[in-house]
């Protein structure tokens, strides 16, 4: 005989009520339901693998690039312009890359950008004169901003909201590990000549493009139905719409400050300051060549920064998912700004290296949550080519002008004011993420469930 299942009464529509004691008794026999574990999507794993290959190749090229430029009998300024040409074309082409992503999608622009950088690297390795090297680097800059912005778009589209911070941490860590291992492999390959790293970099980029084209699925754009019931693509998030989010405006200034005061600091001020610290520490020793040994201290310092950054980044993204993006970004900016200020007082080599570890930790605290905060604004269901392009642009602007202004300050007044300016930018940026502040956003534009916390 079948078990009776309570049904609505035919005359009243009422559902018989099961007593609370019966419900409680039945629940005792049921095992507790485990919380579902959100896994990292395959799309993200493919992106992380490609990112590692890209960073590995970049780490191969970066140490030999200035020396390779000098081999064409040019001065120091011309040698450094090889780096600037790459950054300038990245900056100038960023808005166009955002439009291309909106038009063709992240996957196509990502793989196209990789192929363009690969061709630029081949051209650099085959350069027979300085202008050819500059042209090749400029072409590489165009491809670089294409795949960088597209990668952020893929990261945004495929990151589950509950683990966006963790995913951003994994992605950043893969890039960082590639940058660490790249110079090591470059040193091993040094006996093959200065052109070889460019060819290896091109090979790795071709490999990354192959991984993307074969393993990364075409993104599916959500559709709406128009008045005739025909499916039409959902409108991409524009820069103007993103500007309505408090967190997006704060993210723009923060990324500018990080480009200036963290990335720019590493590439220019820290290597120069290392020489000054050694000169001051050994000022009473005769015959000590601080300039010759400054590069060694700078190398240890940057390695210490990378170690602190990599070890912390693994966990900081998870913490951002648990306690919120804003507290993590605020703490990271506060620590980074304070540590940068301390750099101006240091006169001991060991303290110089230890402080770099703290700077790495500070930037790791804010990095994944900053990326996740931007992902929250854009959401999974639409393209964010324009906002992502401008987000990348402000970092490049900071990276270009920061070292120039810092160098001018160092020449005029010494290292301390340069560190103070860098620290001030980071501390001012932290005000945009103050705990307890309720961010504003347009409810009709925000993704469902967005809070900005």
């Amino acid at each position: 005989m079948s078990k009776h299942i309570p049904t609505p009464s035919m005359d009243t529509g009422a559902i018989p009520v099961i007593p609370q004691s019966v419900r409680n008794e039945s629940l005792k026999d049921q095992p507790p339901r485990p919380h579902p574990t959100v896994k990292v999507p395959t799309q993200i794993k493919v992106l992380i693998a490609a990112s590692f290959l890209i960073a590995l190749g970049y780490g191969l090229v970066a140490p030999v690039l200035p020396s390779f430029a000098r081999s064409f009998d040019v001065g120091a300024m011309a040698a450094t312009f090889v780096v600037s040409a790459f950054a300038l074309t990245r900056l100038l082409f960023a808005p166009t890359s955002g439009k291309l992503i909106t038009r063709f999608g992240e996957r196509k622009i990502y793989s196209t950008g990789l192929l363009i950088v690969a061709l630029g690297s081949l051209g650099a390795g085959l350069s027979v004169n300085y202008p050819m090297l500059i042209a090749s680097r400029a072409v590489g800059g165009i491809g670089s901003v294409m795949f960088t912005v597209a990668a952020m778009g893929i990261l945004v589209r495929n990151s589950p909201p509950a683990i966006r911070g963790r995913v951003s941490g994994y992605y950043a860590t893969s890039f960082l590990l590639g940058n660490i291992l790249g110079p090591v492999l470059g040193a091993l390959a040094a006996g093959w000549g200065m052109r070889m790293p460019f060819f290896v970099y091109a090979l790795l980029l071709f490999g990354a493009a192959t991984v993307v084209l074969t393993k990364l699925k075409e993104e599916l754009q959500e559709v709406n139905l128009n008045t005739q019931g025909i499916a039409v693509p959902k409108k991409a998030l524009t820069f103007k719409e993103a500007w309505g989010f408090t967190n997006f405006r704060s993210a723009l200034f923060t990324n500018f400050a990080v480009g200036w005061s963290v990335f720019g600091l590493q590439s220019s001020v820290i290597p120069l300051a290392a020489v000054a610290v050694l000169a001051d520490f050994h000022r009473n020793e005769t015959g000590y060549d601080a300039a010759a040994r400054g590069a060694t201290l700078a190398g240890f310092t940057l390695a210490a920064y990378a170690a602190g950054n990599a070890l912390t980044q693994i966990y900081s993204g998870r913490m951002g998912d648990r306690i919120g993006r804003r507290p993590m970004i605020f703490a990271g900016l506060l620590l980074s700004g304070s540590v940068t200020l301390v750099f101006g007082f240091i006169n001991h080599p060991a303290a110089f290296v230890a402080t770099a570890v703290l700077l790495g930790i500070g930037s790791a605290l804010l990095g994944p949550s900053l990326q996740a905060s931007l992902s929250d604004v854009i959401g999974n269901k639409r393209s964010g080519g324009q906002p992502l392009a401008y987000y990348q642009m402000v970092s490049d602007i900071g990276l270009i002008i920061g070292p120039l202004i810092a160098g001018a300050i160092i020449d005029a007044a010494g290292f301390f004011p340069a560190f103070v300016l860098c620290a001030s930018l980071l501390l001012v940026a932290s005000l945009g993420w103050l705990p307890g502040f309720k961010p504003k956003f347009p409810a009709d534009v925000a993704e469902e469930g967005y809070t900005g916390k």
Side-chain angles (χ1 to χ4, degrees):
M1 191 160 180
S2 62
K3 189 175 181 180
H4 175 69
I5 300 175
T7 58
S9 174
M10 296 297 292
D11 55 342
T12 65
I15 298 177
V17 177
I18 300 175
Q20 181 68 39
S21 59
V22 175
R23 292 203 301 268
N24 290 342
E25 190 66 28
S26 63
L27 289 174
K28 291 180 182 179
D29 300 329
Q30 299 179 6
R33 295 181 179 179
H35 294 289
T37 302
V38 182
K39 296 182 178 180
V40 178
T42 302
Q43 301 278 78
I44 299 297
K45 293 178 181 178
V46 173
L47 193 69
I48 290 172
S51 169
F52 176 76
L53 291 176
I54 295 165
L56 188 66
Y58 178 79
L60 278 168
V61 168
V64 303
L65 187 58
S67 298
F68 183 59
R70 291 295 295 270
S71 69
F72 294 110
D73 295 325
V74 297
M77 181 175 290
T80 57
F81 184 69
V82 173
V83 178
S84 300
F86 187 87
L88 283 172
T89 52
R90 271 178 58 93
L91 177 63
L92 295 174
F93 200 75
T96 304
S97 68
K99 294 177 182 178
L100 290 174
I101 288 168
T102 301
R103 174 69 177 83
F104 297 104
E106 290 97 348
R107 176 178 172 268
K108 292 178 181 177
I109 300 304
Y110 184 52
S111 54
T112 302
L114 289 177
L115 293 174
I116 290 174
V117 180
L119 293 175
S121 185
L122 279 176
L126 296 171
S127 294
V128 295
N129 53 43
Y130 178 75
M132 184 176 175
L133 177 62
I134 291 295
S136 299
R137 292 292 293 170
V139 169
I142 293 173
S144 175
V145 74
M146 288 173 65
F147 79 67
T148 300
V149 176
M152 287 194 293
I154 296 171
L155 203 68
V156 168
R157 184 185 292 278
N158 293 281
S159 299
I163 60 169
R164 278 177 179 154
R166 176 162 41 122
V167 165
S168 297
Y170 288 159
Y171 178 75
T173 302
S174 71
F175 203 85
L176 185 63
L177 290 176
N179 275 329
I180 293 172
L181 292 176
V184 176
L185 295 179
L188 296 176
W192 295 345
M194 288 189 290
R195 295 179 184 270
M196 184 56 67
F198 295 98
F199 299 138
V200 176
Y201 185 27
L203 185 63
L204 290 173
L205 288 169
F206 281 125
T210 302
V211 169
V212 170
L213 290 171
T214 57
K215 300 297 184 181
L216 194 67
K217 296 178 182 179
E218 186 68 62
E219 62 270 11
L220 299 176
Q221 184 150 346
E222 184 165 304
V223 298
N224 291 331
L225 297 180
N226 62 14
T227 54
Q228 287 79 35
I230 300 174
V232 294
K234 188 170 183 179
K235 185 169 70 72
L237 183 70
T238 65
F239 177 79
K240 183 178 180 181
E241 290 171 330
W243 186 259
F245 291 75
T246 300
N247 282 2
F248 179 71
R249 298 195 297 270
S250 298
L252 287 180
F253 184 76
T254 299
N255 213 29
F256 169 76
V258 169
W260 177 312
S261 303
V262 178
F263 301 140
L265 191 78
Q266 294 178 60
S267 64
S268 59
V269 180
I270 284 181
L272 295 175
V275 176
V277 167
L278 285 176
D280 183 65
F281 187 72
H282 297 279
R283 61 183 179 275
N284 295 324
E285 298 180 23
T286 58
Y288 186 86
D289 191 350
R293 302 192 183 187
T296 302
L297 178 59
F300 276 114
T301 303
L302 296 180
Y305 168 87
N309 193 283
L311 293 175
T312 307
Q313 209 152 216
I314 298 173
Y315 305 102
S316 65
R318 293 174 181 267
M319 291 179 64
D321 290 330
R322 292 176 183 173
I323 69 174
R325 325 291 188 206
R326 294 180 62 86
M328 293 297 296
I329 299 171
F330 177 76
L333 287 168
L334 200 62
L335 177 59
S336 298
S338 302
V339 168
T340 302
L341 191 62
V342 169
F343 262 117
F345 295 97
I346 294 175
N347 57 7
H348 194 286
F352 198 76
V353 174
T355 305
V357 176
L358 294 177
L359 182 62
I361 292 173
S363 61
L365 289 177
L366 72 94
S369 290
L370 183 63
Q371 175 69 49
S373 178
L374 183 66
S375 300
D376 292 340
V377 170
I378 297 170
N380 293 108
K381 300 177 181 179
R382 57 191 170 195
S383 171
Q386 280 190 16
L388 290 170
Y390 284 100
Y391 175 79
Q392 182 61 45
M393 279 181 66
V394 295
S395 176
D396 286 339
I397 291 172
L399 182 57
I400 291 170
I401 68 174
L404 295 176
I405 294 178
I409 293 174
I410 292 169
D411 288 338
F415 286 94
F416 180 70
F419 281 117
V420 169
L421 177 58
C422 291
S424 299
L425 284 172
L426 294 169
L427 294 174
V428 170
S430 72
L431 299 178
W433 306 95
L434 282 172
F437 176 80
K438 187 176 181 180
K440 297 179 181 179
F441 56 90
D444 59 326
V445 178
E447 187 179 46
E448 184 179 356
Y450 178 83
T451 62
K453 295 182 179 178

